[in-house]
């Protein structure tokens, strides 16, 4: 990280990130992007843009650039307007605002590489629409050409990074093109890797291909697994050379979310003492994203609307993190500026899915102390929620200006009690949601017993942790255990079927020192003495025992369990394989991996045109074990 930071500082000092010979000749003027004339994109999206209409923007740029008179016309390269380009490209402090107008930079050699059909559908588009004229699509979704009516902006926010307050951060390499409202709700369309903004700090405003491929695949994959997430729309490669640990080629990712507001969006104005701005943002979110809370009225409960907003965000966050833990997902950089107010997974960086099960797994090479380790995620989520509660606490204490107390240590006792009550509910919300999901993964669809976590779930996880068994494979193997247990019920010997499943678990385990023969006996014992009786109770079997008569029910249960336990997850080595194939010219493989990780993530067998990807369900190759990414990924 030190080497990367040093090279980026040097580039920043030399002005390489935002000046070129062409730009120097007209440095004082902002060059706009030409509006597309391609038929596929001239009448496709209707912008609502409530965020910029209803919330205060950057006073240094009071008007949208595309609404200003053209100073120098250039249909090919973009018109210029009488605005200082430095206000758009150089880092500066932005006060009293939640966003700044922004214009994407131009990328050479843009070409369309991937399109998510589901992502396109969300905003009223189709995958075919992109590929019908891929050159026009690349121009639009790289930011080289403007969609009619689009007036882009960058969000202003702060955040705690690795536990330390980082002050102003903001969208340093992302520009929102606009908001659209469709049958699937409100979606804010954002280009990531669109160039510098006032919030870029020492960054260059770009993203490399490898990180863009990872996020493009991961966002859609997590959604397919039932985890709330931002979504991917399109992936464009460019010929831009980007400085990282070494020189790499760039890419632009178009991503979607109903809102990109984060915990840090509230923290920054609060840190500056601007609680009126905090209130405006909270009211905006209540109007557009938590309308049921806004409509309840203050008289419904002792908690005012801001307390209920905090309570809802606590619930959403607890449920999302519970889903992370259940699928074995490690986010890697849970800074408060990476925490969505909607409880969606956003800002995919050094994420990873667990291979060999280790609850202390650290996926981020930049996190040597393990602050964001897998088993720390629930604790960190609560820590982040406490940071969010601080700015909202002033509104909970006094919902209308003038605000009585702008210091958290001066809040009224009732306010403190409300906030403590809301935050103290996190652990219970997380535990109940995690247990609910895990019961389904274990095939317990009918009943819930209070000790399921202590007696069933935790002991099984402890077994696979001891052997460092592949987590996804272990959970998928559970789908075949009910049938094996039913077949064994009339036999005095251990079922060959059950034994073969346990042998397979051992083969997908990495801890060679755990004593596998004894470990396999312990796993068989667990299945027979703990899991089998619990399954029988859930199924309502006579005498609470599985018998050969239950074999058909057990087979049906196994099929149902397969819809809860994916066969394919986007492991680091799988993502790296897609990256390396793309580097060698097989860019079509990216969307094939996307199909595997979305449409076919739970399938026993892939269709013929994807058969080559069957290897992704197999053992992790030696080169892929323990792969880590850094924050610069």
């Amino acid at each position: 990280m030190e080497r990367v930071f040093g090279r980026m500082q040097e580039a920043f000092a030399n002005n390489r990130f935002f000046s070129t010979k062409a730009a120097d000749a007209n440095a004082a003027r902002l060059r706009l992007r030409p509006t597309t004339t391609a038929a596929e994109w001239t009448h496709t999206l209707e912008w609502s843009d409530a965020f910029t209409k209803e919330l205060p923007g950057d006073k240094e740029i009071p008007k949208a650039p595309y609404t200003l008179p053209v100073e120098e016309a250039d249909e090919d390269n973009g018109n210029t307007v009488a605005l200082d380009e430095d206000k758009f490209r150089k880092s500066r402090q932005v006060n009293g605002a939640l966003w700044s107008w922004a214009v994407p930079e131009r990328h050479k050699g843009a070409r369309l590489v991937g399109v998510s059909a589901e992502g396109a559908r969300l905003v009223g588009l189709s995958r075919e629409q992109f590929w019908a004229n891929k050159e026009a699509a690349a121009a639009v979704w790289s930011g080289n050409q403007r969609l009619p009516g689009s007036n882009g902006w960058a969000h202003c926010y702060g955040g705690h990074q690795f536990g330390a307050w980082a002050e102003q951060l903001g969208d340093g390499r992302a520009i929102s093109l606009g908001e659209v409202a469709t049958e699937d709700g409100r979606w804010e369309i954002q280009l990531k890797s669109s160039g510098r903004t006032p919030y870029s700090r020492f960054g260059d405003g770009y993203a490399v291909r490898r990180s863009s491929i990872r996020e493009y695949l991961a966002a859609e994959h997590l959604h397919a697994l039932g985890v709330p997430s931002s979504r991917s729309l399109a992936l464009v490669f460019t010929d831009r050379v980007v400085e990282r640990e070494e020189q790499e080629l760039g890419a632009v990712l178009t991503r979607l979310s109903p809102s990109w507001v984060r915990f840090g969006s509230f923290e920054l104005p609060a840190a500056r003492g601007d609680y009126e701005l905090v209130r405006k943002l909270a009211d905006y979110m209540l109007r557009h994203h938590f309308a049921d809370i806004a409509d309840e009225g203050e008289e419904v409960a002792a908690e005012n609307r801001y307390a209920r907003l905090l309570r809802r965000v606590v619930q959403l966050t607890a449920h999302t993190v519970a889903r992370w833990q259940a699928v074995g997902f490690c986010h890697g950089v849970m800074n408060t500026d990476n925490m969505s107010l909607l409880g969606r997974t956003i800002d995919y960086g050094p994420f990873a899915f667990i291979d060999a099960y280790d609850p202390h797994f650290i996926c981020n090479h930049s996190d040597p102390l393990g602050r964001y380790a897998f088993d720390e995620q629930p604790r960190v989520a609560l820590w982040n929620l406490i940071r969010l509660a601080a700015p909202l606490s002033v509104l909970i204490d006094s919902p209308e200006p003038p605000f009585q107390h702008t210091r958290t240590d001066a809040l009224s006792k009732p306010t403190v009690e409300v906030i403590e009550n809301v935050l103290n509910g996190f652990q219970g919300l997380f535990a109940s949601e995690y247990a609910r999901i895990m019961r389904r993964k274990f095939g317990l669809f009918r009943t819930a017993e209070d000790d399921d976590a202590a007696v069933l779930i935790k002991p099984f996880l402890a077994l696979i942790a001891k052997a460092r068994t592949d987590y996804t494979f272990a959970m998928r193997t559970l789908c075949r255990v009910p049938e094996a247990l039913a077949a064994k019920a009339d036999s005095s010997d251990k079922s060959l079927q059950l034994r073969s499943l346990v042998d397979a678990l051992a083969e997908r385990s990495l801890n060679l020192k755990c004593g596998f023969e004894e470990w396999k006996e312990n796993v068989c014992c667990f299945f027979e003495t703990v899991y089998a009786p619990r399954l029988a109770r859930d199924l309502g079997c006579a005498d609470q025992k599985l018998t050969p008569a239950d074999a058909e029910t057990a087979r049906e249960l196994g099929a149902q369990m397969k819809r809860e336990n994916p066969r394919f997850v986007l492991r680091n080595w799988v993502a790296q394989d897609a990256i390396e194939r793309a580097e060698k010219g097989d860019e079509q493989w990216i969307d094939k991996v996307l199909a595997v990780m979305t449409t076919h993530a739970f399938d026993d067998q892939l269709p013929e045109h994807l058969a080559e990807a069957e290897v992704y369900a197999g053992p992790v190759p030696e080169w892929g074990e323990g792969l880590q990414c850094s924050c610069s990924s």
Side-chain angles (χ1 to χ4, degrees), residues 67 80 157 194 264 389:
T67 65
T80 58
Y157 50 83
S194 46

Side-chain angles (χ1 to χ4, degrees), residues 120-139:
R121 183 187 59 78
L122 291 174
V123 291
L125 304 175
S126 69
R127 188 174 188 273
E128 293 72 24
Q129 190 173 345
F130 286 76
W131 290 109
N133 185 345
K134 60 184 180 181
E135 290 78 15

Side-chain angles (χ1 to χ4, degrees), residues 33 76-77 89 104-108 143-144 194 240:
R33 303 273 69 81
D76 294 327
N77 297 311
R89 306 295 180 211
E105 293 186 34
R106 186 175 184 276
H107 298 277
K108 292 182 179 180
N144 284 350
S194 46
R240 182 182 294 280

Side-chain angles (χ1 to χ4, degrees), residues 2-12 16-17 243-247:
E2 291 80 9
R3 182 158 56 94
V4 178
F5 184 80
R7 292 177 70 173
M8 295 180 81
Q9 278 194 318
E10 178 188 358
F12 185 80
R16 292 208 311 267
F17 282 153
E243 294 277 351
R244 291 297 180 262
E245 287 88 343
E246 56 187 26
Q247 289 188 337

Side-chain angles (χ1 to χ4, degrees), residues 428-457:
L429 289 166
F430 167 80
S432 62
E433 178 67 1
Y434 178 71
R436 184 192 69 82
I437 298 168
M438 293 301 287
R439 284 189 187 100
R440 296 179 66 85
K441 293 173 82 69
F442 275 80
L444 307 176
F445 293 98
R446 303 180 183 181
T447 62
E449 296 182 0
D450 292 340
D451 60 356
D452 280 337
V455 173
L456 181 70
I457 299 167

Side-chain angles (χ1 to χ4, degrees), residues 250-303:
V252 180
L253 171 68
T254 306
R255 57 187 192 174
L256 312 170
S257 181
S259 170
W260 292 102
V261 169
R262 302 118 188 285
F263 291 10
S265 303
F266 292 85
E267 288 183 282
L268 182 60
R272 293 169 168 173
D274 192 349
Y275 284 95
E276 176 61 17
L277 192 56
V278 174
R279 184 184 68 83
K280 288 179 179 179
L281 179 58
D283 286 346
Y284 170 85
M285 295 302 292
L286 285 164
R287 280 195 305 275
H288 292 286
H289 301 285
F290 300 95
D292 58 323
I293 294 176
D295 292 342
E296 285 178 4
E298 298 302 318
E299 71 283 353
V300 172
E303 298 177 358

Side-chain angles (χ1 to χ4, degrees), residues 237-446:
F237 281 180
T238 75
D239 291 339
R240 182 182 294 280
V241 176
V242 182
E243 294 277 351
R244 291 297 180 262
E245 287 88 343
E246 56 187 26
Q247 289 188 337
E248 301 185 50
L249 292 175
V252 180
L253 171 68
T254 306
R255 57 187 192 174
L256 312 170
S257 181
S259 170
W260 292 102
V261 169
R262 302 118 188 285
F263 291 10
S265 303
F266 292 85
E267 288 183 282
L268 182 60
R272 293 169 168 173
D274 192 349
Y275 284 95
E276 176 61 17
L277 192 56
V278 174
R279 184 184 68 83
K280 288 179 179 179
L281 179 58
D283 286 346
Y284 170 85
M285 295 302 292
L286 285 164
R287 280 195 305 275
H288 292 286
H289 301 285
F290 300 95
D292 58 323
I293 294 176
D295 292 342
E296 285 178 4
E298 298 302 318
E299 71 283 353
V300 172
E303 298 177 358
N304 69 19
R305 62 187 183 275
Y306 302 115
R308 296 199 298 275
L309 173 62
L310 178 61
R311 185 178 292 280
R312 181 69 60 80
V313 176
V314 168
Q315 179 189 49
L316 292 171
T317 304
H319 285 187
T320 293
V321 177
R323 287 170 169 82
W324 289 356
Q325 303 304 111
V327 299
F329 175 81
C330 193
H331 184 278
V333 61
M334 291 175 65
N335 299 328
T336 58
D337 57 295
N338 295 333
M339 298 290 291
S340 162
L341 202 76
L342 303 183
R344 288 177 176 257
T345 312
I346 61 171
D347 293 352
Y348 292 84
F351 72 88
F353 283 85
I354 287 182
D355 294 327
Y357 185 69
D358 174 7
H360 310 305
F361 172 65
I362 301 170
C363 67
N364 186 349
H365 188 264
S366 307
D367 184 20
L369 300 180
R371 175 180 177 83
Y372 298 141
F374 178 71
D375 61 351
E376 290 292 314
Q377 292 185 139
R379 182 193 63 79
V380 172
L382 177 56
W383 191 92
N384 290 343
L385 286 162
I386 294 171
R387 306 285 83 74
L388 173 65
L392 290 180
S393 67
V394 174
L395 308 184
I396 294 170
D397 195 63
S398 179
E400 303 295 337
F403 303 108
Q404 296 179 7
H405 303 110
T406 57
R407 293 190 0 248
T408 55
D409 60 357
L411 298 172
S412 68
K413 183 178 179 181
T415 295
V416 172
E417 290 175 349
V418 166
I419 294 170
E420 287 180 344
N421 177 267
V422 171
L423 293 172
N424 287 339
F426 173 85
Q427 186 55 43
L429 289 166
F430 167 80
S432 62
E433 178 67 1
Y434 178 71
R436 184 192 69 82
I437 298 168
M438 293 301 287
R439 284 189 187 100
R440 296 179 66 85
K441 293 173 82 69
F442 275 80
L444 307 176
F445 293 98
R446 303 180 183 181

